Amino acid sequence: MEPIARFILANRKVIFVIAIILSLSAIYPALNIKSDFSLEGFFPENDPTIDEYRRFSEEFGRDDNIIIIGLESNRLFTPEVLFAVRSLADSLAQIPFITEVRSIWDAERLENQNGQLTTEPYLRTQLLLDADSDRLKSIQSEMTSNPFIEGLILNSKGNFTAIVMVVDENENNFPSREIVIREMRRILAPYQQQYDVFIAGIPFFRNQYIHLLNGEIIFYISISSVLIIILLWFLFRSAQGIVIPILIVWLTILFTLAVLQLSGGYFEVLTSSIAPILLCVGIADSVHMLAKYNDGRFVGLTRGKALKESLIVLGSATFLTSVTTAIGFGTLLTSNVIPMRTFGLYTAIGVMIAFVITIFMVPSLMPLFKDVNRIQATQGRLHNALGSFLIRVFYLAQRRHKEVVLVTLLITVVATFGMTQLRVNGYVFDDVGRESPLVMDSNIISERLSPQFPLEIIIDTQQENGITDPDFILRVQQFESFLLEYDEIEKTLSIATVLEQIHKTMSPEEASIRPLPDRRDLISQYLLLAEMTGADALDSFTDFTYSKVRIATQTFDVGSYRINQIREELLSYIARNFPNEEITLTGTTILVADLTDNIVYSLASSIGLAFLFISMIMAWLFRNYKLVLISLIPNIMPIIFVAGIMGYFGIDIKPSTAVIFTIAFGIAVDDSIHFLARFRIETRRGKDLVEAIRYTTEKTGRAILLTSAILVMGFGTLGFSDFESTMLMGRLVCLTICVAIIADLLFLPALIYWLKPDLDAVRKS
């Protein structure tokens, strides 16, 4: 590291100018980074779940491009309100990227006219103008008894209606949805003054979620920055101690965002958290450097010698911590979840950018600030207070090392029992507070009509006209009845529902005895009649060869854990009752459930891979199996402890909380490497075991405590977020930091005393 230190110190001005040029160049791409959120984007191109969903979408239409506007009025079935609904629907239909708008005015009844099946709208202009209140009540009663209307665009009480907007599936992206939502809000504004209006739907949720998330991130980055600045002032009491760390971490975020944008990346659910992570993690390198520099100045070194000593002593350790942290995030590249790979890649890049900026910029920025040979009295008191505390920690680890190791291992074992209680579970509305207007609107529409999260079931008879078998249609209807036994499923529709309505219209007397047609030729006739009317319902629930049926169900947002339980039970029912048919379960609900499992299990394998890589680095660094073992155990403990706490407190593992383990691993590895790297340096300088640990605990321990305090300050503010993922990240990472401090400053030296590694091997490594 000494040649690099000499080069940096000899070219500080050139490095400073280059840094200014690069920083100015990075501003434009960083400010133009885009946002998006698509469930399909989380899956590999040929993933079976996505393949099934795309086949369903091509055949029966998408279920994730619908925005629902709910309108509530106790005077809904009056001409005034009904005409207002039509006017609103007509205005919404003019919005760009909207291909279809459906409202109560599009609802039709089936009629039998001389043996021909026809459709007739329930509502017509002249009818409303002429109708009295009794006629309107009759129309309301007819509509609320129609299964294709009730629960979809009208509630059973007749005082709540929905207007359904279909977004062009080729334009179902963040920028296009922004235009749709902006125009929709403009059109709704005057109606919201007269009626209770609610908005829901997956396209609306996705864009609003991104806005809420980005707003939260910006807010808490700002708060964290202010608190970190205050803490840096308290710790260093100098301009350089504040400006340099903050400037370095802001430059790290700037360059990382620029790289993200220039390489075609964008903000989504996971990459949005890169900035706050880098704010907290990236500042550690510069604080270690400044703490070491101040130690040198405290003992009387000149500025140049103190800088050189900081680069030489900490350069290698900082490089190792950056590499191991980057490896921890980089192993996410093995995930089959695309945004997880993106998150891992760019966070790893950001960590290495922080290292490069720190190594090159700290010496370049130092001459810009006034420096003194004597540390200020307040800082000296803090310096001494931390030193005294660390000496007491050193003596505790030395004199009671067996008790420390055994108690720590016992606590870790207890935490492992908590790990057994962990549950993988994710929601569609994950992380958004239940009191959020976004969730409350969705819940109101779900309560008034039916839930908005589709679970789609495709039954393929694998033979043309296979659905005309009366026994098959009866089994489909029975399956629907079975589905409705679940509290989580509110409504089902299928070709059996279509045939039941046609049968009731064409043969009312027979339908009163047998609700479904019981002859193959009669079913074929009904399907032909439905074709001749051009009814959309036919295309929505069967294919053109009449070999497949679709059962559309509406489910509540009950979490992937429960959905997977239901899925297993449904597959068991299907195996018994549809032994010769091919069944596909798909829809947004299934995508979310599979995505949650994919993210969590791929993250587990990534952490295992990171642990393997870091073990190899430790083996290369120390070439002593005892020190390798000593270095790895403290890195596992914080992860086990946090996982145990999550299990005991019922915190589910889901995409947002799973990332916490990667962050926890990176933080734990950083501190242990700094400790062991300094221990290695002190043993090479000829110190014995006790003296090397004492010096390492006092000197490196001080930097570990300072960086940990800053990390707690940075992540701690996130613990007050309304976003559950952000809140849990803040609180659990703070817990990890505290456990890592104990593991590295108390347990690690105690373990060294107990195992007594060969110092000669350490000196030669």
Side-chain angles (χ1 to χ4, degrees), residues 500-534:
E500 185 176 356
Q501 293 301 303
I502 296 175
H503 191 43
K504 185 186 298 184
T505 303
M506 303 305 295
S507 307
E509 293 182 2
E510 187 178 344
S512 64
I513 302 171
R514 287 184 297 275
L516 285 173
D518 60 353
R519 302 194 318 273
R520 184 182 288 268
D521 63 321
L522 188 56
I523 293 174
S524 298
Q525 181 184 348
Y526 285 166
L527 292 173
L528 179 60
L529 289 173
E531 272 188 43
M532 294 172 65
T533 64

Coordinates of all heavy atoms in Angstrom, one line a residue, residues 500-534:
E500 N -75.1 -20.8 -17.0 CA -76.3 -20.7 -16.1 C -77.2 -19.5 -16.4 O -78.4 -19.6 -16.4 CB -75.7 -20.6 -14.6 CG -76.8 -20.6 -13.6 CD -76.3 -20.6 -12.2 OE1 -75.0 -20.6 -12.0 OE2 -77.0 -20.6 -11.2
Q501 N -76.6 -18.4 -16.7 CA -77.4 -17.2 -17.1 C -78.1 -17.3 -18.4 O -79.3 -16.9 -18.5 CB -76.4 -15.9 -17.2 CG -75.8 -15.5 -15.8 CD -76.9 -15.2 -14.8 OE1 -77.7 -14.3 -15.0 NE2 -76.9 -15.9 -13.7
I502 N -77.4 -18.0 -19.4 CA -78.1 -18.2 -20.7 C -79.3 -19.2 -20.5 O -80.4 -19.0 -21.0 CB -77.1 -18.8 -21.7 CG1 -76.0 -17.7 -22.0 CG2 -77.8 -19.1 -23.0 CD1 -74.9 -18.2 -22.9
H503 N -79.0 -20.3 -19.7 CA -80.0 -21.3 -19.4 C -81.3 -20.6 -18.7 O -82.4 -20.9 -19.1 CB -79.4 -22.4 -18.5 CG -80.3 -23.6 -18.4 ND1 -80.9 -24.2 -19.5 CD2 -80.6 -24.4 -17.3 CE1 -81.6 -25.3 -19.1 NE2 -81.4 -25.4 -17.8
K504 N -81.0 -19.7 -17.8 CA -82.1 -19.1 -17.1 C -82.9 -18.2 -18.0 O -84.1 -18.1 -17.9 CB -81.5 -18.2 -16.0 CG -82.6 -17.6 -15.1 CD -81.9 -16.6 -14.1 CE -81.0 -17.4 -13.1 NZ -80.4 -16.5 -12.1
T505 N -82.2 -17.6 -19.1 CA -82.9 -16.7 -20.0 C -83.7 -17.5 -21.0 O -84.8 -17.2 -21.4 CB -81.9 -15.8 -20.7 OG1 -81.1 -15.1 -19.7 CG2 -82.5 -14.9 -21.7
M506 N -83.1 -18.6 -21.6 CA -83.7 -19.3 -22.7 C -84.7 -20.4 -22.2 O -85.6 -20.7 -22.9 CB -82.6 -20.0 -23.5 CG -81.6 -19.0 -24.1 SD -82.3 -17.6 -25.1 CE -83.0 -18.6 -26.5
S507 N -84.4 -21.0 -21.1 CA -85.3 -22.1 -20.6 C -85.6 -21.8 -19.1 O -85.1 -22.6 -18.2 CB -84.6 -23.4 -20.8 OG -84.2 -23.6 -22.1
P508 N -86.3 -20.8 -18.7 CA -86.5 -20.5 -17.3 C -87.1 -21.5 -16.5 O -86.8 -21.7 -15.3 CB -87.4 -19.2 -17.4 CG -88.0 -19.2 -18.7 CD -87.0 -19.9 -19.6
E509 N -88.1 -22.3 -17.0 CA -88.7 -23.3 -16.3 C -87.8 -24.5 -15.9 O -87.7 -24.9 -14.8 CB -90.0 -23.9 -17.0 CG -91.1 -22.8 -17.2 CD -92.3 -23.4 -17.9 OE1 -92.2 -24.6 -18.2 OE2 -93.3 -22.7 -18.1
E510 N -87.0 -24.9 -17.0 CA -86.1 -26.0 -16.7 C -85.0 -25.5 -15.8 O -84.5 -26.3 -15.0 CB -85.5 -26.4 -18.1 CG -84.6 -27.6 -18.0 CD -84.1 -28.1 -19.3 OE1 -84.6 -27.7 -20.4 OE2 -83.1 -28.9 -19.3
A511 N -84.6 -24.2 -15.9 CA -83.5 -23.7 -15.1 C -83.9 -23.6 -13.6 O -83.0 -23.7 -12.7 CB -83.1 -22.3 -15.6
S512 N -85.2 -23.5 -13.4 CA -85.6 -23.4 -12.0 C -85.5 -24.8 -11.3 O -85.4 -24.9 -10.1 CB -87.1 -23.0 -11.9 OG -87.9 -24.0 -12.6
I513 N -85.4 -25.9 -12.1 CA -85.2 -27.2 -11.6 C -83.7 -27.6 -11.6 O -83.2 -28.1 -10.7 CB -86.0 -28.2 -12.4 CG1 -87.5 -27.9 -12.4 CG2 -85.8 -29.6 -11.9 CD1 -88.4 -28.7 -13.4
R514 N -83.1 -27.4 -12.8 CA -81.7 -27.7 -13.0 C -81.0 -26.4 -13.5 O -81.2 -26.0 -14.6 CB -81.5 -28.8 -14.0 CG -81.9 -30.2 -13.5 CD -81.6 -31.3 -14.5 NE -82.4 -31.0 -15.7 CZ -83.6 -31.5 -15.9 NH1 -84.2 -32.2 -14.9 NH2 -84.3 -31.3 -17.0
P515 N -80.2 -25.7 -12.6 CA -79.6 -24.4 -13.0 C -78.7 -24.5 -14.2 O -78.6 -23.5 -14.9 CB -78.8 -24.0 -11.7 CG -79.5 -24.7 -10.6 CD -80.0 -26.0 -11.2
L516 N -78.1 -25.7 -14.4 CA -77.2 -25.8 -15.5 C -77.8 -26.7 -16.6 O -78.5 -27.7 -16.3 CB -75.8 -26.4 -15.1 CG -74.9 -25.5 -14.3 CD1 -73.7 -26.3 -13.7 CD2 -74.4 -24.4 -15.2
P517 N -77.5 -26.4 -17.9 CA -77.9 -27.4 -18.9 C -77.2 -28.7 -18.7 O -76.1 -28.8 -18.4 CB -77.4 -26.7 -20.2 CG -76.3 -25.7 -19.8 CD -76.7 -25.3 -18.4
D518 N -78.0 -29.8 -19.0 CA -77.5 -31.1 -18.7 C -77.3 -32.0 -19.9 O -77.2 -33.2 -19.9 CB -78.4 -31.9 -17.7 CG -79.8 -32.0 -18.2 OD1 -80.1 -31.4 -19.3 OD2 -80.6 -32.7 -17.6
R519 N -77.3 -31.3 -21.1 CA -77.1 -32.1 -22.4 C -76.0 -31.4 -23.2 O -75.9 -30.1 -23.2 CB -78.4 -32.1 -23.2 CG -79.6 -32.7 -22.5 CD -80.7 -33.1 -23.5 NE -80.9 -32.0 -24.5 CZ -81.7 -31.0 -24.3 NH1 -82.4 -30.8 -23.2 NH2 -81.9 -30.1 -25.3
R520 N -75.2 -32.2 -23.8 CA -74.1 -31.7 -24.6 C -74.6 -30.8 -25.7 O -74.0 -29.7 -26.0 CB -73.2 -32.8 -25.1 CG -71.9 -32.3 -25.9 CD -71.2 -33.5 -26.4 NE -70.5 -34.3 -25.3 CZ -69.2 -34.0 -24.9 NH1 -68.5 -33.1 -25.5 NH2 -68.7 -34.8 -24.0
D521 N -75.6 -31.2 -26.4 CA -76.1 -30.5 -27.6 C -76.7 -29.1 -27.1 O -76.6 -28.1 -27.8 CB -77.2 -31.3 -28.3 CG -78.4 -31.6 -27.5 OD1 -78.3 -31.8 -26.3 OD2 -79.5 -31.5 -28.0
L522 N -77.3 -29.1 -25.9 CA -77.9 -27.9 -25.4 C -76.7 -26.9 -25.0 O -76.8 -25.7 -25.3 CB -78.8 -28.1 -24.2 CG -79.6 -27.0 -23.7 CD1 -80.4 -26.3 -24.7 CD2 -80.4 -27.4 -22.4
I523 N -75.7 -27.4 -24.4 CA -74.5 -26.5 -24.1 C -73.9 -26.0 -25.4 O -73.6 -24.8 -25.5 CB -73.5 -27.3 -23.3 CG1 -74.0 -27.7 -21.9 CG2 -72.2 -26.5 -23.2 CD1 -73.1 -28.6 -21.1
S524 N -73.8 -26.8 -26.4 CA -73.2 -26.3 -27.7 C -74.1 -25.3 -28.3 O -73.7 -24.3 -28.9 CB -73.1 -27.5 -28.7 OG -72.2 -28.5 -28.2
Q525 N -75.5 -25.5 -28.2 CA -76.4 -24.5 -28.7 C -76.3 -23.1 -28.0 O -76.3 -22.1 -28.6 CB -77.8 -25.0 -28.6 CG -78.9 -24.0 -29.1 CD -80.3 -24.6 -28.9 OE1 -80.5 -25.7 -28.6 NE2 -81.3 -23.7 -29.1
Y526 N -76.1 -23.2 -26.7 CA -76.0 -22.0 -25.9 C -74.7 -21.2 -26.2 O -74.7 -20.0 -26.3 CB -76.0 -22.3 -24.4 CG -77.4 -22.6 -23.8 CD1 -77.5 -23.2 -22.6 CD2 -78.6 -22.4 -24.5 CE1 -78.8 -23.5 -22.1 CE2 -79.8 -22.7 -24.0 CZ -79.9 -23.3 -22.8 OH -81.2 -23.6 -22.3
L527 N -73.6 -22.0 -26.4 CA -72.4 -21.4 -26.8 C -72.5 -20.7 -28.1 O -71.9 -19.6 -28.4 CB -71.2 -22.4 -26.8 CG -70.9 -23.0 -25.4 CD1 -69.9 -24.1 -25.6 CD2 -70.3 -21.9 -24.5
L528 N -73.2 -21.3 -29.1 CA -73.4 -20.7 -30.4 C -74.2 -19.5 -30.3 O -73.9 -18.4 -30.9 CB -74.1 -21.7 -31.3 CG -74.4 -21.3 -32.7 CD1 -73.1 -20.9 -33.5 CD2 -75.2 -22.3 -33.5
L529 N -75.3 -19.5 -29.5 CA -76.1 -18.3 -29.3 C -75.3 -17.2 -28.7 O -75.4 -16.0 -29.1 CB -77.3 -18.6 -28.4 CG -78.4 -19.5 -28.9 CD1 -79.4 -19.9 -27.9 CD2 -79.1 -18.8 -30.1
A530 N -74.4 -17.5 -27.7 CA -73.6 -16.5 -27.1 C -72.6 -15.9 -28.1 O -72.3 -14.7 -28.1 CB -72.8 -17.1 -25.9
E531 N -72.1 -16.8 -29.0 CA -71.2 -16.3 -30.1 C -71.9 -15.3 -31.0 O -71.4 -14.2 -31.3 CB -70.7 -17.5 -30.9 CG -69.5 -18.2 -30.4 CD -69.0 -19.2 -31.5 OE1 -69.0 -18.9 -32.7 OE2 -68.7 -20.3 -31.1
M532 N -73.2 -15.6 -31.3 CA -73.9 -14.7 -32.2 C -74.2 -13.4 -31.6 O -74.4 -12.4 -32.3 CB -75.2 -15.4 -32.6 CG -75.0 -16.7 -33.5 SD -76.5 -17.7 -33.7 CE -77.5 -16.5 -34.7
T533 N -74.3 -13.3 -30.3 CA -74.6 -12.0 -29.6 C -73.3 -11.2 -29.5 O -73.3 -10.0 -29.2 CB -75.1 -12.2 -28.2 OG1 -74.1 -12.9 -27.4 CG2 -76.4 -13.0 -28.2
G534 N -72.1 -11.8 -29.7 CA -70.9 -11.1 -29.6 C -70.5 -10.8 -28.1 O -69.8 -9.9 -27.8

